[in-house]
Amino acid sequence: MSIETNEEFRPKIVAFCCNWCSYAGADLAGSSRLSYPADVKIIRVPCSCRVNPMFILRAFEKGADGVIMCGCHPGDCHYSTGNYYARRRMTLLFSMLDYIGVENGRTRVEWVSAAEGVKFSQTMNEFVEKIHSLGKNVRLEDLRCRS
Amino acid sequence: MKYSYYPGCTLRNKAKDLDEYARASARALGFELEEIEDWQCCGGVYPLGTDEIATKLSSVRALNQAKEKGQDLVTICSACHHVIKRVNDDMKNVEDIRTRANNYMQLDEPYEGETTVLHYLEVLRDKVGFDKLKEKVVNPLTGKKIGAYYGCLLLRPGKIMAFDDPENPTIMEDFIRALGAEPVIYPYRNECCGGYISLKEKEMSQNMCQKIEDSAKGFGADMLITACPLCKYNLNKNASSELPVYYFTELLAEALGVKEEVAK
Amino acid sequence: MRNEHSAAEKIKEISGTNPLKCMKCGKCSATCPSFNEMDIKPHQFVSYVVNEDIEALVNSKSLWKCLSCFACVERCPRDVKPGKLIDAARQLVVREKGGDYLKADEIPELLDPELPQQLLVSAFRRYRR
Amino acid sequence: MQRIGVFVCHCGSNIAATVDVKKVVELAAKEPGVVHAEDYQYMCSEAGQAKIQEAIREKNLTGVVVCSCSPRMHEATFRKAAERAGLNPYMVEIANIREHCSWIHKDMEEATKKAVILARAAIAKVNLNAPLQPGESRVTKRALIIGGGIAGIQTALDIADAGYEVDIVEKTPSIGGRMSQLDKTFPTLDCSACILTPKMVEAAAHEKINIYTYSEVEHVSGFVGDFTVDIRKKARSVNMDKCTGCGVCQEKCPSKKIPNEFNRGLNNRTAIYTPFAQAIPNVPVIDRENCIKFKTGKCGVCSKVCQAGAIDYDQQDEIVTQKYGAIVVATGFDTIKLDKYDEYAYSQSKDVITSLELERIMNAAGPTKGHLERLSDGKAPKELVFIQCVGSRCSDDRGKPYCSKICCMYTAKHAMLIRDKYPDTNVTVFYIDVRTPGKNFDEFYRRAVEQYGVNYIKGQVGKVIPQPDGSLLVQGSDLIDNKQILKKADMVVLATAIEPNPDVRKIATMLTASIDTNNFLTEAHAKLRPVESPTAGIFLSGVCQGPKDIPETVAQAGAAAVKAIGLLAKDKLTTNPCTAKSDELLCNGCSTCANVCPYGAISYEDKEVNDHGIRETRRVAVVNTALCQGCGACTVACPSGAMDLQGFSNRQIIAEVDAICR
């Protein structure tokens, strides 16, 4: 399915990470030198509940091949309840994306605590591998957006 | 209640009584063992190699037959139980083995570990219930002091077999209590009897079996029970034979009053 | 073994265990019922694989003394499971032509009338291709 | 249009070794709004900060992007530097090209490409940044300590000595914690009670310290400087003011068969009890679950014998609500359950015990009055075997992956004390490694070997085998001799792994303090902020943060106290200005945002608005910036898109998304 047939497929992956747990978990992955592919780019948000489904749709529209959202473990949210809202919102969004034909594997929610550098790196490795197996996102990309 | 039943090679030959007592007892307890068709030998030992597929297929066939009937699969021999349970775990949890086994099997619908594998003792504990069993006992084995010999295969690896606490099991002791006898707990009940080693290295097995027997005797047992034909063979053959060794099903049939029925 | 490195890799692959997880506590050897019969002890299996000393390993008596009783597998605190390494080394040998530990012609004299089928089947699978 | 400066840090070779910083400078300079770009060895150094300040002044920068380490590391540093140069600190953003880039990628080209993209995202964000002004909040000059063990007591004393009010909340009937259960302490063999009791008394007598025993924290709200906490004082059934601590009620109580928690269940206590003789307060509690009066309505013996009339069966739980500026967690540890380790026969033999149980057996106030004896038959053991690392350093799912840290030393202590007091008793220790990093620790361990003749065997034990004669056979490895040994023993002591008190998870959730996979509380920084939780205003004291011995616990307790004092000493705190803001023209007054706000920071006002020339009064959302913590839940919930988060606005995040996907 890859459009750029000449080149190796390098997916564009956006990772939203909450400031308190997952972003710190990503930092720990970094300071522990636990590698994952450079295709993953992290955007820091205060809490997973700050992630508006609009941001995820926007990413797909702009050509992202996968979007992952990471937050504190349920019950451990810095703001008590934020990740519960996020979980509900994402469940709805993902089922809607599924309905319109965006494969389930292109989106993911994972809870990563500040102490889980290993889990962060593992999750990213798995996710990138999954996106590789799904190939390029052609369903939602607005081709007019391509630069 | 009907269960798919996998007797295994030895129960068809040298351990016929293990099988027959089990069936008679099942009838007395109100469940039925329906032997699956054209079963093949499980191989006796679980192939540990992660790259072994062919040697696991006979188990998969049995498991799949049970699945098609929508029944749980019951085993009695510890070795069969061990092999089939672990293969089932592979089929459920190890993607590589699942894919390759299904490629071989070419089933209408791929087998993915759906069947529940139960040891006969687990049926007694979890389905019949030891309380219920106790009610059905007509000849309680009062006064008998019985040491349960678990061996390795029923218990280990604990995470996969999920049969009982691998270091301090209670299922056979509870079974013994249900039959009206007194269980004797001794530390060597989950140590190996030597298994297949007795074919070529008899002395090793003798060493181990003697420790088991001495330990059981030391704690006051006057007989041993086991669920494995090979354990029974080794304990009989490779220890001083001061303690008689029985299959658990024989005592079950005796307590339920169906032993004579089998003898006929 | 022609190539010690690739043989070590093969053992790791077949066994699916990572010997580097070992913390050298010796619990496997403490728990092994065949310990006294073994020339290379269960805890040493791990270091032989790590050091890629496979020639010595596959020629050891220990391969044929392991009972597959899984005591070391159950009790290993580091998930290394030496029993699986031993079995993988044994697989390397029996998969080689002529590596069988049990020859067909020696079987008749090992039999006795009470011997259960299960014993032969198990021994066959552990000792032969 | 912003005038943005981009500053790319080499971080020595930490970044520069895998990211071509010159290339990042070159490409960042071409981004819209960028008027200045440069790189430097260490941006966080004084010289590096000076470069940023110089550029702000000379090029009239309105925004700054620093491509460097994690913002969790130096965002504050760079924002302060910018502020000193006259720029609003919230016009500074960080592109994390170290933790999220150079440290995890090896290929230079790939890492450089990613660094450029991360820089672009930050630049795109700064283009939309607006100056923000922090507000102020007050500080309640009172600290709460959760847990009354040595960690909590020490922290409380240090804070109170600095002149601040302190409340200790302790779940059990007395303060003292684990240390009160210990007999002697390493490496000096001091009697534990002798050094702990004075501290307990001092805490109880301190005019600034208020102790709530038999109490639990039930609810926490608020934030740094201004927490509101509900404390449940469980009904003691004894009037604290009337009780004289004479102890007659305990002597006469007919319900005597309750496992004594303080002695680890090795003997029994009564239903009305104080856990130990030196308990503070010296006022018993009635364990209602086991009290005959509470179970059947009959009895009442304690009430009859109490001269002071202190027994009060009708006492109810009481909720105390109190405000605090700082909270210190000092919840300590317990030993793990051994049900998954029955190869050591712990549940099969009374003579296999844990080290903490041995501690009670060795103690004069313990179940055997300090005589070393077998619990099965009361005989003195002649052969004693210690097994190390039971449940520690396990990567399977039975135990804990970490080293419990204290076991090597307390085992040496036990071995030494036993050899000293009972020279006829042989002591063998099976160990994997002997870990003694601490002042006088290795010397202590060597003394056990050299002076006291303790037999250390390198190797783990595989199985403890009870024998028909009541003795035990220990089957273990001797890795030095390459042997499997069978050792006869009369008693086996297991160095059982420690784990954080199981209640800590509940408490961490209430405090929104993060916790790791082993239930240890996480520090704000593993090296540089080891006694603070990432949640502002929450401090960590003792084993709740990680395994440690008494001197380390006391040191950390003092450190946590200093951090708490540093907070309490302030009159005002500046608040995070990244708060939610509602656009009153878009707001339809639906209340959805207020319903998801965890802080009750959103209220509604009838306000006159001018909507494109139409003046009317509407019901609109108003955010109280003192209460808003900036989570952003409301911004997504708002159906009309009126609610946005300053500093993380919709437009800013979308700009980042766009830059990454470009």
Side-chain angles (χ1 to χ4, degrees):
Chain A
M1 284 294 275
S2 179
I3 293 169
E4 302 124 72
T5 40
N6 301 332
E7 286 176 50
E8 185 203 356
F9 170 51
R10 290 310 297 258
K12 286 178 186 167
I13 292 169
V14 180
F16 291 99
C17 289
C18 82
N19 180 51
W20 303 95
C21 289
S22 308
Y23 196 89
D27 280 357
L28 182 60
S31 52
S32 317
R33 312 298 197 272
L34 300 162
S35 74
Y36 51 89
D39 310 321
V40 178
K41 316 284 188 309
I42 296 169
I43 294 179
R44 182 164 71 129
V45 287
C47 175
S48 51
C49 71
R50 177 64 189 97
V51 179
N52 196 313
M54 183 172 78
F55 303 159
I56 293 171
L57 294 174
R58 175 76 167 206
F60 282 128
E61 181 189 337
K62 290 284 176 177
D65 301 299
V67 180
I68 180 165
M69 190 191 81
C70 302
C72 309
H73 285 269
D76 292 349
C77 174
H78 182 77
Y79 305 99
S80 306
T81 49
N83 49 8
Y84 294 130
Y85 293 122
R87 181 165 62 182
R88 252 178 283 164
R89 286 168 188 157
M90 292 308 134
T91 311
L92 278 175
L93 173 69
F94 293 174
S95 67
M96 187 203 86
L97 284 172
D98 190 38
Y99 180 73
I100 61 172
V102 176
E103 302 89 332
N104 255 327
R106 290 200 189 278
T107 45
R108 180 164 169 182
V109 171
E110 197 62 63
W111 312 122
V112 179
S113 82
E116 293 176 327
V118 175
K119 181 174 180 189
F120 186 85
S121 137
Q122 269 171 2
T123 303
M124 292 306 151
N125 277 308
E126 277 169 30
F127 189 61
V128 173
E129 200 177 311
K130 181 77 196 172
I131 299 301
H132 266 282
S133 74
L134 291 172
K136 177 121 195 71
N137 156 42
V138 287
R139 184 70 67 165
L140 271 188
E141 184 182 2
D142 183 341
L143 294 178
R144 292 166 303 180
C145 293
R146 198 181 280 178
S147 51
Chain B
M1 190 73 189
K2 259 188 197 172
Y3 297 96
S4 282
Y5 173 49
Y6 181 97
C9 61
T10 315
L11 273 69
R12 275 283 157 276
N13 288 284
K14 293 278 159 32
K16 270 208 180 74
D17 35 353
L18 176 55
D19 174 63
E20 284 163 359
Y21 292 133
R23 286 169 189 265
S25 303
R27 282 193 295 277
L29 290 167
F31 65 96
E32 199 179 316
L33 298 176
E34 206 169 75
E35 189 166 333
I36 53 172
E37 286 166 29
D38 299 328
W39 55 266
Q40 297 156 315
C41 173
C42 70
V45 288
Y46 169 75
L48 283 167
T50 52
D51 57 350
E52 297 232 359
I53 298 299
T55 41
K56 291 175 177 143
L57 294 180
S58 63
S59 301
V60 179
R61 285 193 189 97
L63 287 161
N64 189 57
Q65 276 201 47
K67 173 187 157 187
E68 283 170 358
K69 284 196 193 164
Q71 294 173 341
D72 294 347
L73 182 62
V74 172
T75 58
I76 298 185
C77 164
S78 305
C80 302
H81 183 69
H82 181 89
V83 174
I84 294 173
K85 186 107 188 222
R86 289 187 79 173
V87 171
N88 201 33
D89 181 74
D90 287 343
M91 294 301 286
K92 203 187 278 177
N93 298 320
V94 185
E95 198 181 338
D96 178 55
I97 293 178
R98 177 170 59 232
T99 315
R100 289 199 288 153
N102 276 309
N103 286 347
Y104 266 103
M105 301 276 296
Q106 295 290 322
L107 302 165
D108 296 337
E109 187 191 314
Y111 180 76
E112 294 178 344
E114 294 91 341
T115 300
T116 304
V117 184
L118 292 173
H119 191 270
Y120 194 92
L121 281 164
E122 288 177 303
V123 176
L124 296 181
R125 179 186 61 189
D126 304 331
K127 304 286 175 179
V128 177
F130 284 138
D131 291 346
K132 189 87 185 294
L133 169 61
K134 196 171 181 177
E135 289 168 19
K136 299 253 178 163
V137 166
V138 293
N139 303 323
L141 309 176
T142 318
K144 289 206 166 97
K145 294 177 132 192
I146 306 175
Y149 177 66
Y150 286 87
C152 336
L153 298 175
L154 283 178
L155 298 171
R156 295 191 286 259
K159 219 190 322 182
I160 296 171
M161 298 310 291
F163 179 77
D164 205 338
D165 181 336
E167 302 294 353
N168 190 15
T170 54
I171 181 169
M172 281 168 99
E173 283 75 11
D174 292 340
F175 167 77
I176 292 165
R177 261 179 226 114
L179 300 191
E182 182 191 332
V184 174
I185 295 171
Y186 61 103
Y188 279 92
R189 65 205 163 118
N190 63 341
E191 292 295 307
C192 187
C193 68
Y196 54 79
I197 210 98
S198 61
L199 187 67
K200 291 194 67 162
E201 338 275 337
K202 225 169 207 40
E203 271 176 31
M204 279 175 70
S205 177
Q206 281 165 350
N207 228 326
M208 293 167 190
C209 290
Q210 199 55 53
K211 271 190 198 155
I212 294 164
E213 198 186 80
D214 289 347
S215 174
K217 216 167 60 187
F219 280 90
D222 39 44
M223 64 170 75
L224 291 174
I225 58 166
T226 165
C228 176
L230 183 48
C231 297
K232 180 170 186 268
Y233 170 80
N234 279 339
L235 288 170
N236 271 332
K237 203 81 184 167
N238 295 326
S240 61
S241 308
E242 283 175 49
L243 296 186
V245 189
Y246 297 99
Y247 289 129
F248 74 99
T249 50
E250 183 172 354
L251 295 194
L252 176 64
E254 188 181 330
L256 293 173
V258 295
K259 196 173 173 183
E260 279 65 43
E261 179 189 319
V262 173
K264 281 175 214 158
Chain C
M1 292 302 124
R2 292 150 307 277
N3 182 329
E4 295 280 292
H5 174 68
S6 69
E9 289 303 313
K10 188 78 190 162
I11 288 182
K12 286 184 222 168
E13 186 198 318
I14 297 177
S15 64
T17 69
N18 175 8
L20 292 179
K21 291 189 78 180
C22 176
M23 66 167 164
K24 303 178 198 284
C25 70
K27 194 166 183 178
C28 45
S29 282
T31 217
C32 180
S34 296
F35 182 92
N36 290 329
E37 314 295 328
M38 291 189 170
D39 45 0
I40 295 179
K41 309 299 187 189
H43 70 277
Q44 293 175 297
F45 264 79
V46 182
S47 45
Y48 273 70
V49 174
V50 171
N51 299 330
E52 302 186 344
D53 194 356
I54 308 301
E55 184 72 35
L57 201 59
V58 295
N59 288 317
S60 75
K61 281 201 303 185
S62 305
L63 295 192
W64 316 109
K65 309 293 178 189
C66 169
L67 310 159
S68 307
C69 75
F70 306 115
C72 58
V73 172
E74 184 70 37
R75 292 173 191 156
C76 175
R78 302 294 307 174
D79 234 6
V80 179
K81 303 172 173 165
K84 287 188 163 187
L85 289 176
I86 295 174
D87 188 73
R90 182 159 55 194
Q91 288 296 330
L92 278 195
V93 177
V94 298
R95 287 179 192 180
E96 293 257 311
K97 216 171 153 62
D100 296 346
Y101 183 64
L102 180 68
K103 304 273 188 295
D105 51 6
E106 63 178 322
I107 292 173
E109 62 185 86
L110 294 171
L111 294 179
D112 76 55
E114 293 157 50
L115 188 126
Q117 286 73 13
Q118 181 193 353
L119 174 51
L120 270 183
V121 172
S122 309
F124 252 69
R125 183 155 287 175
R126 279 287 185 258
Y127 293 158
R128 290 172 57 95
R129 271 173 97 190
Chain D
M1 193 68 187
Q2 305 275 22
R3 296 177 54 79
I4 300 169
V6 178
F7 302 86
V8 185
C9 181
H10 295 223
C11 195
S13 64
N14 281 307
I15 292 171
T18 27
V19 169
D20 180 349
V21 288
K22 298 283 182 203
K23 186 92 181 164
V24 178
V25 169
E26 183 197 322
L27 291 173
K30 295 181 184 155
E31 288 297 302
V34 176
V35 296
H36 175 85
E38 64 175 313
D39 60 286
Y40 187 65
Q41 277 285 331
Y42 289 104
M43 276 296 167
C44 62
S45 68
E46 211 164 304
Q49 293 184 44
K51 278 182 178 295
I52 297 173
Q53 290 169 326
E54 195 184 299
I56 291 172
R57 290 196 193 97
E58 285 182 4
K59 305 241 171 138
N60 283 325
L61 299 183
T62 61
V64 164
V65 167
V66 188
C67 303
S68 63
C69 54
S70 171
R72 293 166 49 84
M73 194 75 162
H74 276 315
E75 188 177 68
T77 314
F78 293 124
R79 284 186 166 171
K80 271 183 203 147
E83 192 175 19
R84 287 197 296 275
L87 185 67
N88 182 287
Y90 295 91
M91 297 306 291
V92 178
E93 293 290 340
I94 310 290
N96 183 347
I97 61 167
R98 193 178 76 175
E99 282 85 345
H100 293 187
C101 187
S102 70
W103 273 351
I104 45 170
H105 306 311
K106 291 205 176 69
D107 183 75
M108 185 112 180
E109 195 192 326
E110 206 175 86
T112 307
K113 245 190 210 168
K114 178 168 173 180
V116 170
I117 293 173
L118 294 176
R120 272 183 193 152
I123 294 164
K125 186 179 183 192
V126 173
N127 262 308
L128 298 167
N129 274 24
L132 300 173
Q133 299 302 334
E136 279 185 342
S137 68
R138 66 202 170 94
V139 177
T140 305
K141 305 216 170 244
R142 189 181 193 98
L144 169 68
I145 318 288
I146 305 174
I150 180 62
I153 292 171
Q154 186 63 49
T155 305
L157 285 170
D158 289 348
I159 296 176
D161 282 346
Y164 298 99
E165 298 287 335
V166 184
D167 292 348
I168 300 177
V169 172
E170 165 60 42
K171 187 177 57 173
T172 69
S174 169
I175 57 169
R178 286 289 158 238
M179 189 175 169
S180 64
Q181 292 179 295
L182 307 183
D183 182 45
K184 301 282 189 300
T185 55
F186 61 78
T188 50
L189 301 181
D190 284 301
C191 147
S192 187
C194 311
I195 56 177
L196 174 66
T197 313
K199 291 242 178 225
M200 290 165 61
V201 172
E202 194 187 339
H206 204 295
E207 58 172 357
K208 294 279 185 191
I209 297 179
N210 175 32
I211 300 173
Y212 295 103
T213 51
Y214 210 49
S215 300
E216 287 181 54
V217 172
E218 186 137 303
H219 185 258
V220 180
S221 60
F223 45 86
V224 53
D226 194 18
F227 295 104
T228 304
V229 179
D230 292 346
I231 298 162
R232 177 178 292 271
K233 287 174 73 182
K234 287 178 283 184
R236 222 177 170 98
S237 315
V238 177
N239 186 321
M240 300 259 290
D241 299 327
K242 289 185 185 166
C243 175
T244 59
C246 69
V248 175
C249 53
Q250 301 181 56
E251 276 169 39
K252 303 291 182 194
C253 176
S255 178
K256 294 182 192 298
K257 293 274 179 197
I258 305 144
N260 182 342
E261 297 88 352
F262 188 75
N263 282 334
R264 305 299 287 180
L266 299 180
N267 65 354
N268 294 329
R269 61 162 169 84
T270 45
I272 185 167
Y273 73 108
T274 44
F276 55 104
Q278 303 90 331
I280 286 181
N282 185 23
V283 175
V285 298
I286 295 180
D287 164 5
R288 292 187 171 185
E289 272 173 31
N290 289 300
C291 170
I292 298 169
K293 174 79 180 172
F294 280 95
K295 283 199 297 193
T296 68
K298 295 185 190 106
C299 188
V301 168
C302 49
S303 175
K304 280 171 215 147
V305 300
C306 181
Q307 298 278 322
I311 308 294
D312 178 1
Y313 299 122
D314 299 324
Q315 215 176 60
Q316 298 289 318
D317 286 9
E318 192 187 326
I319 304 286
V320 180
T321 303
Q322 185 63 263
K323 279 192 169 287
Y324 298 100
I327 298 176
V328 182
V329 188
T331 45
F333 70 98
D334 202 344
T335 53
I336 63 163
K337 287 201 179 68
L338 287 171
D339 49 352
K340 288 183 182 155
Y341 284 96
D342 233 20
E343 65 262 39
Y344 299 125
Y346 178 74
S347 72
Q348 298 163 52
S349 168
K350 277 186 146 183
D351 301 318
V352 179
I353 59 173
T354 68
S355 297
L356 195 50
E357 287 165 6
L358 179 66
E359 208 68 64
R360 294 313 304 149
I361 289 173
M362 300 284 283
N363 189 273
T368 60
K369 311 250 178 306
H371 300 295
L372 179 64
E373 57 189 50
R374 283 157 50 94
L375 295 172
S376 59
D377 55 13
K379 285 186 188 147
K382 292 292 164 217
E383 289 287 342
L384 210 70
V385 169
F386 286 85
I387 303 175
Q388 300 301 97
C389 299
V390 175
S392 298
R393 308 168 68 190
C394 292
S395 60
D396 56 7
D397 55 2
R398 301 201 293 169
K400 302 291 176 187
Y402 49 84
C403 166
S404 294
K405 199 170 181 178
I406 53 175
C407 324
C408 286
M409 285 300 288
Y410 70 58
T411 296
K413 171 191 78 178
H414 286 149
M416 209 184 274
L417 289 169
I418 288 167
R419 291 284 298 151
D420 188 55
K421 207 168 161 193
Y422 308 94
D424 293 344
T425 300
N426 292 318
V427 176
T428 304
V429 180
F430 282 91
Y431 71 97
I432 305 174
D433 303 289
V434 178
R435 296 180 166 177
T436 53
K439 192 169 156 187
N440 295 325
F441 280 16
D442 205 63
E443 296 91 321
F444 182 80
Y445 148 62
R446 289 312 305 169
R447 213 143 52 94
V449 177
E450 293 166 26
Q451 283 178 30
Y452 290 89
V454 178
N455 180 21
Y456 273 77
I457 297 176
K458 179 168 170 60
Q460 185 55 291
V461 167
K463 185 160 173 136
V464 174
I465 307 159
Q467 296 297 295
D469 67 0
S471 67
L472 300 157
L473 210 51
V474 179
Q475 182 179 314
S477 275
D478 181 336
L479 295 175
I480 304 291
D481 276 357
N482 206 16
K483 275 186 193 144
Q484 190 182 71
I485 46 184
L486 275 172
K487 186 144 194 64
K488 213 164 159 87
D490 301 309
M491 204 165 176
V492 170
V493 184
L494 308 177
T496 312
I498 61 172
E499 65 179 351
N501 188 313
D503 289 340
V504 76
R505 185 152 269 286
K506 202 172 67 197
I507 290 169
T509 301
M510 279 192 259
L511 299 173
T512 68
S514 52
I515 203 166
D516 69 16
T517 40
N518 296 312
N519 281 357
F520 288 115
L521 285 158
T522 317
E523 354 26 5
H525 189 281
K527 287 135 229 170
L528 302 177
R529 297 174 67 194
V531 301
E532 296 158 81
S533 159
T535 302
I538 310 293
F539 304 96
L540 315 175
S541 180
V543 181
C544 68
Q545 178 262 338
K548 50 182 71 68
D549 60 19
I550 294 169
E552 271 184 281
T553 295
V554 172
Q556 199 199 19
V562 169
K563 291 289 173 187
I565 292 165
L567 167 59
L568 297 177
K570 290 183 182 140
D571 291 322
K572 298 258 183 225
L573 295 173
T574 55
T575 58
N576 171 19
C578 296
T579 51
K581 194 176 181 182
S582 174
D583 180 340
E584 55 191 34
L585 290 183
L586 293 176
C587 175
N588 65 9
C590 70
S591 296
T592 310
C593 55
N595 289 337
V596 300
C597 178
Y599 303 100
I602 303 173
S603 58
Y604 285 84
E605 280 176 16
D606 287 323
K607 217 171 168 185
E608 188 172 296
V609 297
N610 182 348
D611 190 352
H612 301 90
I614 303 166
R615 284 182 173 279
E616 57 181 358
T617 305
R618 290 185 192 164
R619 181 174 183 268
V620 292
V622 179
V623 176
N624 178 344
T625 53
L627 294 176
C628 175
Q629 297 296 300
C631 67
C634 54
T635 63
V636 185
C638 176
S640 51
M643 200 56 96
D644 209 347
L645 185 63
Q646 302 180 89
F648 291 93
S649 70
N650 290 333
R651 289 182 61 213
Q652 285 174 307
I653 296 174
I654 284 176
E656 288 181 86
V657 168
D658 290 357
I660 287 171
C661 296
R662 199 160 78 193

